Amino acid sequence: MTTVSSPHPQHIRSLTGHSGCSVTLCLDGDRYFVRKISASPAYNVRFKQQIEKQRALARIISTPRVLQQGESDGLLWYDMDYVQGHGFVSFAPLQAVSDIPRIVEQLTKPLHRLAETASGSLDDGLFVAKVIELNASVRRSPFYPAYVAFLDDLLDALGEADWTGIPRTMCHGDLTVENMLIREDGSIVFIDLLDGNLESMWMDVAKLLQDLESGWSLRSLLWQERPDATAKLLRTISHYLADEVTTQMTGLFPGLFARLPALRALQAMRVLPYVHDKAIFAGVIAGLKRIRLIEA
């Protein structure tokens, strides 16, 4: 493996991360790159899987290229290309209405490429095990008692859902607008890939749609009592994108439409055990209620 930077580069600033891992913008000579360090020695196994996944996905979709990897003080680390780009919040509101279809194209093209990696179907037992796990972990939340009837009904509905025939493909694993960088030309680079055993681009579609519909990634702006004009515009754009992605993806996979409610609910519920704020928990519940899986 070619070494492209020194073991101890100059740290410029810390970047946002959500897994407990350290993510830092670094400088080696005149070259900027990003270094990500495992959260703990116990996390190293998953961290290695994430490195391997990023290397593999870089051949399918646009994601930062892995430059080198190593281990220091018992922690795995790897360096990747530094990508200059806008976040969804700063990019989307400035686009002309005529440019919105281009965002749709940039969102759906990678999903089409991921779909081409299909290799059979996922074991439905993996989904059943995930629902059983959620039954235990969601009920341990201190906010569960306030929504006990709704959550119990929803967990029962997920327990009875059909999880067969979901295609096994390569996937991002945490496809939200928060995990995208948008270049000046509108092309999207996908970051913060997540490993897991529910590897299907159907899960990516469900995660993206729930993110766009509920405003999870934009919750600091959208989940306000009185959202400002920018927030209202972002909500409108997000819902439009959700409709277009749904149309295109269910056209590609006719069986996906009927499965989306359960897949979206499963993706949304997976964050509940990690939510430690009452208002955020309520926001996730509000998004779950709009899926209407129980009534369906």
Side-chain angles (χ1 to χ4, degrees):
M1 186 178 299
T2 303
T3 299
V4 296
S5 59
S6 67
H8 305 289
Q10 179 184 353
H11 288 198
I12 303 301
R13 62 184 173 91
S14 296
L15 303 175
T16 302
H18 302 286
S19 61
C21 298
S22 167
V23 184
T24 308
L25 175 63
C26 300
L27 179 64
D28 184 29
D30 60 354
R31 181 186 180 91
Y32 287 96
F33 63 93
V34 173
R35 174 162 293 184
K36 189 170 184 177
I37 304 175
S38 176
S40 68
Y43 194 77
N44 280 349
V45 173
R46 285 196 64 185
F47 194 77
K48 184 178 180 181
Q49 292 172 347
Q50 291 166 15
I51 297 173
E52 293 170 351
K53 182 173 185 175
Q54 188 161 334
R55 287 186 183 279
L57 272 189
R59 298 191 291 268
I60 309 296
I61 64 175
S62 181
T63 191
R65 180 172 53 108
V66 176
L67 303 173
Q68 65 174 357
Q69 65 189 77
E71 182 176 348
S72 179
D73 298 325
L75 298 177
L76 295 181
W77 57 266
Y78 72 100
D79 296 339
M80 66 188 105
D81 283 332
Y82 169 58
V83 178
Q84 288 186 303
H86 300 277
F88 185 79
V89 171
S90 61
F91 182 84
L94 300 180
Q95 305 311 299
V97 173
S98 59
D99 290 334
I100 300 300
R102 184 178 60 172
I103 301 178
V104 176
E105 181 183 16
Q106 293 297 325
L107 283 174
T108 55
K109 267 189 176 180
L111 293 169
H112 281 266
R113 296 192 191 105
L114 291 171
E116 293 172 354
T117 68
S119 58
S121 300
L122 288 172
D123 180 358
D124 62 322
L126 296 173
F127 290 90
V128 173
K130 178 57 68 175
V131 174
I132 292 173
E133 177 189 317
L134 285 171
N135 264 282
S137 59
V138 169
R139 288 186 169 98
R140 287 196 294 267
S141 170
F143 311 119
Y144 163 74
Y147 308 96
V148 60
F150 172 75
L151 287 172
D152 283 356
D153 286 346
L154 183 53
L155 286 165
D156 286 346
L158 290 176
E160 296 170 1
D162 177 16
W163 301 109
T164 61
I166 295 174
R168 180 194 296 109
T169 74
M170 297 179 72
C171 70
H172 181 285
D174 191 20
L175 190 59
T176 66
V177 297
E178 196 172 21
N179 288 335
M180 301 174 189
L181 291 173
I182 309 174
R183 293 189 172 114
E184 291 293 340
D185 63 359
S187 62
I188 298 176
V189 179
F190 299 90
I191 61 173
D192 286 346
L193 281 61
L194 194 62
D195 64 302
N197 58 4
L198 301 179
E199 294 280 294
S200 174
M201 52 78 60
W202 281 25
M203 295 293 282
D204 277 351
V205 173
K207 182 77 173 186
L208 177 60
L209 292 177
Q210 187 60 15
D211 189 48
L212 291 169
E213 292 279 8
S214 71
W216 167 256
S217 289
L218 310 178
R219 57 193 179 277
S220 63
L221 294 172
L222 301 187
W223 293 6
Q224 300 296 323
E225 185 176 348
R226 296 179 180 177
D228 61 18
T230 299
K232 292 177 180 178
L233 178 57
L234 280 167
R235 180 184 294 144
T236 300
I237 294 172
S238 296
H239 287 178
Y240 174 81
L241 292 175
D243 287 343
E244 289 298 315
V245 171
T246 299
T247 299
Q248 292 203 28
M249 289 299 102
T250 54
L252 178 64
F253 292 102
L256 174 59
F257 185 78
R259 313 296 279 279
L260 274 176
L263 290 170
R264 284 179 54 186
L266 183 67
Q267 290 288 54
M269 290 197 74
R270 292 172 75 178
V271 308
L272 287 179
Y274 305 99
V275 174
H276 303 291
D277 180 274
K278 182 179 179 180
I280 299 299
F281 197 94
V284 177
I285 294 295
L288 281 164
K289 287 182 175 179
R290 288 195 289 271
I291 296 175
R292 301 188 183 280
L293 174 61
I294 298 173
E295 292 83 351

